[in-house]
Amino acid sequence: MAATTGTDRPSVDESKGDNPMKKALTATLCDGLFSYADTDTATRIINQSLTHCGGSRAILSQVIQTQFIAGHTPFYWVVANAPKAEKSGPQYTIPPLLDQFLELCEDDLLKETKRDLMDGLLVASNDALYRLIRSKLTFLGGPTASSFFQDESDQPVYKVSPSSDRSFYFELAFNIPRFYDRILIDGEISHDFIASGTSLR
């Protein structure tokens, strides 16, 4: 397939107020940005969006990283409106539409997109989702310190929840197996988390 050029590639440029592609994509994506889309719905949204982009995954990848929906990318909206962990059962997973967005972009996730995605996480104070996609947000600086202890049974468990009586406070509960062993061998224990609209370590 020949590469498309800047003149013949579909565009959702904000300067074009009456852009048919922008309208069609927005209408399609809205089915999963402001309410939860299950796997079948997410797949339908992606397939319809590909149709608007001439079947090109590369073009759709570029388009969904454009801030063309109320000043944000689709990534922001699907994250900001994702269900909270406490309402999703004990096994929290990445929302299917976000999962397909990330798969579509693979290693081409732009720094600006990562920041917009992070903004959505902060608005929602969604620490459970943050932990699941933290590895994608490489712009945030140094990684959390790695540990010598890599067995699944040795992994710390953290849970952030809003304070029951004060809206601007939060509660952090944690269980760190082999705590003293980690201090002796690793030298430190660190953990990134989101609470009250802030990223903390």
Side-chain angles (χ1 to χ4, degrees):
M1 176 185 294
T4 57
T5 67
T7 57
D8 61 11
R9 185 173 62 205
S11 171
V12 290
D13 190 341
E14 284 279 15
S15 64
K16 301 176 181 178
D18 193 30
N19 186 320
M21 179 190 179
K22 175 183 173 182
K23 289 182 176 180
L25 268 171
T26 302
T28 297
L29 290 168
C30 279
D31 284 346
L33 298 186
F34 305 107
S35 59
Y36 181 80
D38 60 21
T39 301
D40 290 342
T41 303
T43 299
R44 175 181 58 77
I45 289 171
I46 294 296
N47 288 339
Q48 289 182 357
S49 298
L50 281 169
T51 299
H52 299 316
C53 295
S56 171
R57 293 178 64 85
I59 292 174
L60 181 57
S61 172
Q62 294 173 14
V63 167
I64 63 174
Q65 296 190 73
T66 303
Q67 296 183 350
F68 72 100
I69 299 180
H72 290 285
T73 66
F75 280 91
Y76 171 93
W77 292 113
V78 74
V79 165
N81 293 298
K84 294 292 191 291
E86 59 268 19
K87 297 181 180 180
S88 304
Q91 190 63 39
Y92 190 70
T93 58
I94 299 175
L97 186 57
L98 176 60
D99 200 29
Q100 294 200 36
F101 280 172
L102 291 170
E103 180 183 352
L104 188 68
C105 295
E106 295 181 346
D107 297 326
D108 297 324
L109 205 59
L110 301 176
K111 184 176 182 179
E112 293 78 10
T113 306
K114 295 175 183 179
R115 290 193 180 280
D116 203 42
L117 200 163
M118 186 65 186
D119 286 345
L121 289 167
L122 291 174
V123 164
S125 289
N126 194 334
D127 183 67
L129 182 54
Y130 173 67
R131 290 201 304 272
L132 291 175
I133 63 175
R134 172 68 177 82
S135 63
K136 304 286 186 182
L137 306 177
T138 52
F139 74 93
L140 290 174
T144 300
S146 60
S147 173
F148 173 81
F149 302 97
Q150 294 298 316
D151 290 346
E152 186 173 349
S153 60
D154 289 334
Q155 299 313 301
V157 177
Y158 302 90
K159 183 179 180 180
V160 179
S161 55
S163 174
S164 57
D165 56 348
R166 291 180 290 184
S167 60
F168 293 103
Y169 290 78
F170 61 89
E171 298 171 358
L172 174 64
F174 55 88
N175 178 25
I176 304 177
R178 306 185 69 166
F179 178 83
Y180 292 106
D181 295 354
R182 286 173 178 271
I183 293 297
L184 180 63
I185 296 175
D186 295 338
E188 68 172 325
I189 300 170
S190 65
H191 175 67
D192 291 340
F193 64 96
I194 286 178
S196 299
T198 306
S199 175
L200 303 166
R201 173 175 291 188

